[in-house]
Amino acid sequence: MARRKKLYEGKAKILYEGPEPGTLVQYFKDDATAFNAEKKDVIEGKGVLNNRLSEFFMTGLANIGVPNHFLKRLNMREQLIRQVEIIPLEVIVRNFAAGSICKRLGLEEGTPLPRPIVEFSYKDDALGDPLVPEEYIIAFGWASQQDLDDIVALALRVNDFLTGVMFGVGIKLVDFKIEIGRIWDNDFMRLIVADEISPDSCRLWDIETGQKLDKDVFRRDLGSLTDAYTEVARRLGVLPSNVTHAAKPHVIN
Ligand code: TMP
Ligand code: ASP
């Protein structure tokens, strides 16, 4: 294949021009960052694992009717995705208290929340992705009230799906972050799940032991990140060595 044009390079992924209009190639790097890239490292094999895991979650979501950007895995580190216009928000869903909500409210890590809490951060590295109320999102035109209602509904469906899938392999879904993109079919705009779903963007704890199996292992220097992500992939049956076929492309309708 001819060398593709790089369109965007983020902290963990690169986006290249896709083979057809409306598509992109998403490349998963081994780079890990935390605390707004204050802490950085290269974790051998992380990109390969996240490519597989994001494929697994996005394919499962498509199968239950949650629209998303994933089209097809291309190779160990790359997947074909639909080009979307990313809404500049990190959509976070929390089931148990961990991370920033503990600092903000003085909660003990692991406290069950009264119901899943959906919150939004404004995607801006220079500002440290600040938490923003819906009022800001609507006033600044990042999304409309209708968009936000749709985004919350999508996020809660993703939460139910991921919670069930992870529970099935003995893992508690504490919280996660997704990003949402807009696509247009002629004049009709739709919102779909985009970016990635992987242990980089979730908190995953072993149900029995509480062992952390997500990026907190890196953030807090708790051991080998590759071992943690490999364990998640192994339990889900998506270790590269187990997979002998490429995922079938699916069409969003
Ligand atoms: P937080 O507790 O630090 O706000 O994180 C909530 C969830 O969002 C957690 O699963 C990690 C994920 N997350 C990202 O994916 N990217 C980020 O930049 C941040 C801050 C959190
Ligand atoms: N993704 C953010 C960073 O790279 C923060 C985090 O995930 O902890 O700095």
Side-chain angles (χ1 to χ4, degrees):
M1 200 187 282
R3 197 74 209 126
R4 288 169 303 231
K5 189 168 157 204
K6 190 194 280 190
L7 299 178
Y8 172 80
E9 178 156 4
K11 287 176 288 199
K13 298 186 294 296
I14 304 173
L15 294 176
Y16 295 98
E17 213 168 57
E20 286 159 36
T23 67
L24 298 175
V25 173
Q26 177 164 257
Y27 175 99
F28 287 78
K29 301 195 282 186
D30 280 343
D31 301 28
T33 64
F35 314 118
N36 214 3
E38 262 171 49
K39 182 175 164 78
K40 284 187 209 178
D41 206 347
V42 176
I43 312 284
E44 181 103 26
K46 179 175 85 79
V48 174
L49 287 158
N50 281 354
N51 186 25
R52 292 283 183 166
L53 285 163
S54 201
E55 170 192 10
F56 175 81
F57 294 127
M58 295 292 188
T59 305
L61 284 169
N63 285 338
I64 62 157
V66 177
N68 66 76
H69 73 167
F70 181 81
L71 293 172
K72 152 185 177 185
R73 187 168 53 77
L74 297 172
N75 56 49
M76 297 282 276
R77 289 185 181 273
E78 292 179 328
Q79 48 184 242
L80 188 67
I81 57 169
R82 286 194 66 158
Q83 182 164 26
V84 302
E85 183 188 302
I86 286 283
I87 295 184
L89 297 174
E90 304 211 324
V91 180
I92 293 165
V93 183
R94 302 179 189 274
N95 298 305
F96 297 86
S100 62
I101 198 173
C102 291
K103 286 203 196 104
R104 204 175 302 123
L105 302 181
L107 294 172
E108 192 184 331
E109 187 175 74
T111 308
L113 297 171
R115 62 181 176 93
I117 293 177
V118 183
E119 64 184 45
F120 304 99
S121 295
Y122 179 52
K123 257 171 77 70
D124 185 318
D125 281 346
L127 298 175
D129 298 339
L131 187 70
V132 287
E134 291 196 3
E135 184 73 7
Y136 286 19
I137 298 169
I138 293 162
F140 291 112
W142 302 324
S144 67
Q145 183 64 60
Q146 179 62 56
D147 292 339
L148 283 179
D149 293 347
D150 293 349
I151 290 170
V152 169
L154 273 175
L156 291 175
R157 289 193 73 194
V158 174
N159 187 43
D160 285 345
F161 171 78
L162 289 180
T163 297
V165 168
M166 299 315 301
F167 181 74
V169 296
I171 294 173
K172 182 193 270 193
L173 178 69
V174 174
D175 59 28
F176 65 93
K177 182 266 302 189
I178 51 172
E179 295 185 21
I180 303 291
R182 296 179 196 280
I183 54 170
W184 274 271
D185 295 324
N186 298 315
D187 282 346
F188 185 65
M189 187 278 292
R190 288 195 308 134
L191 298 170
I192 68 174
V193 178
D195 188 52
E196 72 176 288
I197 300 179
S198 77
D200 267 12
S201 50
C202 299
R203 283 198 175 89
L204 305 169
W205 297 352
D206 181 89
I207 285 175
E208 297 292 322
T209 65
Q211 188 192 353
K212 295 187 198 310
L213 299 168
D214 58 63
K215 204 164 99 177
D216 273 348
V217 171
F218 170 74
R219 292 189 188 98
R220 304 184 191 182
D221 294 317
L222 300 176
S224 159
L225 194 72
T226 321
D227 286 357
Y229 288 20
T230 301
E231 176 62 11
V232 175
R234 188 190 66 73
R235 291 196 198 185
L236 293 169
V238 292
L239 263 187
S241 57
N242 292 349
V243 180
T244 53
H245 59 278
K248 285 204 196 84
H250 73 264
V251 176
I252 298 167
N253 46 39

